Amino acid sequence: MESKLPTLSRGDIVVRGHRHGVVVTTTESRLFLVPLEWNPFPRHRADVGISTLASQVLYHDAVARCWESHWVRRGGQRFAGRMLPRAMDDILTAIRREALARKSEQMPAGLVKSTLAFGPMMGSRGRRVGAPSLG
């Protein structure tokens, strides 16, 4: 007798043991999950608050940890709920933004232009006395 794998799709909330996760994409035997945590501290730049984006009250203070996304086997996951499409858009955007940030962090120094207003100034020791204000 063949074991039937659960039918899960993008946006489903799954549970395995005490861990909750959101399904980002599926294959025949694996799921790409973003874990959910409740009130994590400290927050990461790729965390997405689920407060009003989940369709269930249980997930009202959860945070999707988009930087910890990983592949898991499909067989051990149980369906626990469903995310709204707007929440899935936010999660996908956070995953893409985190991937780009990590790529730029691995580049050699000086390759990426500074995003500061005036950039770093070599030899600068702060604001000169008597200089015009920039603000």
Side-chain angles (χ1 to χ4, degrees), residues 29-87:
S29 61
R30 298 188 311 160
L31 302 170
F32 191 63
L33 289 183
V34 171
L36 291 177
E37 290 188 21
W38 280 260
N39 297 323
F41 184 78
R43 295 282 301 259
H44 191 268
R45 65 182 173 205
D47 287 349
V48 175
I50 305 298
S51 59
T52 59
L53 302 177
S55 58
Q56 286 83 16
V57 177
L58 174 66
Y59 302 103
H60 73 279
D61 58 349
V63 171
R65 295 288 220 175
C66 296
W67 59 279
E68 281 186 13
S69 51
H70 57 281
W71 288 96
V72 296
R73 286 185 312 107
R74 188 180 196 130
Q77 310 299 324
R78 292 179 314 191
F79 179 81
R82 186 111 177 102
M83 297 291 292
L84 295 175
R86 183 177 53 150

Side-chain angles (χ1 to χ4, degrees), residues 16 23 48 80 90-91 94:
R16 181 177 187 171
V23 177
V48 175
D90 291 348
I91 289 172

Side-chain angles (χ1 to χ4, degrees), residues 11 18 46 58 67 69-70 77 83 98 112-114 126 129 133:
H18 297 294
L58 174 66
W67 59 279
S69 51
H70 57 281
Q77 310 299 324
M83 297 291 292
E98 179 65 16
V112 179
K113 187 177 178 181
S114 175
V129 176
S133 173

Side-chain angles (χ1 to χ4, degrees), residues 2-8 27-30 73-76:
E2 293 181 20
S3 64
K4 181 127 170 110
L5 292 175
T7 51
L8 298 170
T27 64
E28 289 182 11
S29 61
R30 298 188 311 160
R73 286 185 312 107
R74 188 180 196 130

